[in-house]
Amino acid sequence: MNITIRQAERDDAKAVAPLIYDAIGDIANNLTGEEEVSQILAALEQYVTETTNRHSYLNTFVAEQQGEIVGIVVLYDGRLGYKLDRQLEQQLAKKGIQTSLDIEAHMDEYYIDTICVSKNARGLGIGTLLLQFAEQKGKELGYEKISLNVELEKQDARRLYEKIGYRTTESWTIINEPFHHMVKSL
């Protein structure tokens, strides 16, 4: 298995958007202000091509296998989360949607916003490679810890994160849904 992880590019948006949607599910409705799957995917594709939101290609890294994108990880500085979300709120306001997006990380954390492996590539260790990549990137940037949020019902994911050193530090709420906030020292 030859997997390459690289910075996403604008042209990757069509492959990246469905993976974001797969990872965040209904949260995508709130982030895009859309209800129909095709419209949600179109809005997510647009977000990937932009530079001012959390799902920008600038914050996204893709795992490729034989030229096909098989996974993604979206990473950013916890200090930037607030700014990225305010810009997204302004975009939604232009659509007539008034919303306040929840902060997802503490200011001193390197944050894994979204991680997903395509259905046909699961179980091959790609998710673990993406997590290792994120941790290495955080170390290179001088962070002492990395974090992520996992939905309460995603027990298998939580066990995987615990197995590789993440610990639940607190409960967290994102768009009125409960999450475990998990942190790993780098």
Side-chain angles (χ1 to χ4, degrees):
M1 171 178 75
N2 188 12
I3 302 295
T4 306
I5 299 175
R6 64 166 173 81
Q7 175 81 51
E9 300 170 355
R10 281 186 171 106
D11 291 344
D12 295 327
K14 194 165 267 324
V16 169
L19 292 171
I20 294 171
Y21 184 60
D22 190 22
I24 67 174
D26 292 342
I27 292 172
N29 299 48
N30 291 10
L31 288 181
T32 63
E34 302 295 344
E35 295 294 325
E36 297 293 323
V37 173
S38 61
Q39 294 172 328
I40 292 168
L41 289 172
L44 290 172
E45 282 181 38
Q46 182 62 39
Y47 289 170
V48 172
T49 66
E50 297 171 349
T51 60
T52 59
N53 69 75
R54 64 171 76 178
H55 288 107
S56 166
Y57 70 96
L58 297 175
N59 301 323
T60 303
F61 296 85
V62 298
E64 279 188 324
Q65 183 178 36
Q66 298 175 340
E68 178 186 351
I69 293 174
V70 293
I72 61 160
V73 64
V74 178
L75 307 167
Y76 54 82
D77 179 326
R79 290 179 295 256
L80 291 179
Y82 180 81
K83 180 181 177 185
L84 293 170
D85 286 346
R86 297 307 71 85
Q87 292 168 333
L88 188 53
E89 288 169 0
Q90 290 171 3
Q91 282 181 268
L92 290 169
K94 290 177 185 174
K95 290 181 170 182
I97 300 164
Q98 300 301 320
T99 190
S100 178
L101 299 173
D102 297 311
I103 300 290
E104 295 188 20
H106 291 293
M107 299 284 217
D108 63 340
E109 296 170 344
Y110 194 51
Y111 183 60
I112 300 172
D113 180 283
T114 308
I115 184 167
C116 188
V117 175
S118 63
K119 285 181 175 63
N120 61 344
R122 291 183 184 159
L124 301 175
I126 296 167
T128 300
L129 289 174
L130 287 165
L131 287 167
Q132 290 169 344
F133 174 85
E135 293 166 13
Q136 185 58 41
K137 192 87 170 150
K139 284 179 192 175
E140 289 171 7
L141 294 170
Y143 291 91
E144 294 181 10
K145 58 186 174 176
I146 189 166
S147 69
L148 52 81
N149 290 302
V150 63
E151 294 166 286
L152 299 186
E153 65 271 7
K154 291 188 176 177
Q155 294 176 14
D156 289 342
R158 192 183 81 238
R159 280 192 288 276
L160 168 67
Y161 300 141
E162 287 172 345
K163 184 178 174 183
I164 61 173
Y166 287 81
R167 297 290 167 249
T168 299
T169 58
E170 62 195 292
S171 296
W172 206 279
T173 302
I174 302 172
I175 309 177
N176 298 318
E177 294 292 326
F179 285 76
H180 293 291
H181 187 72
M182 302 186 78
V183 176
K184 181 177 181 178
S185 294
L186 296 176

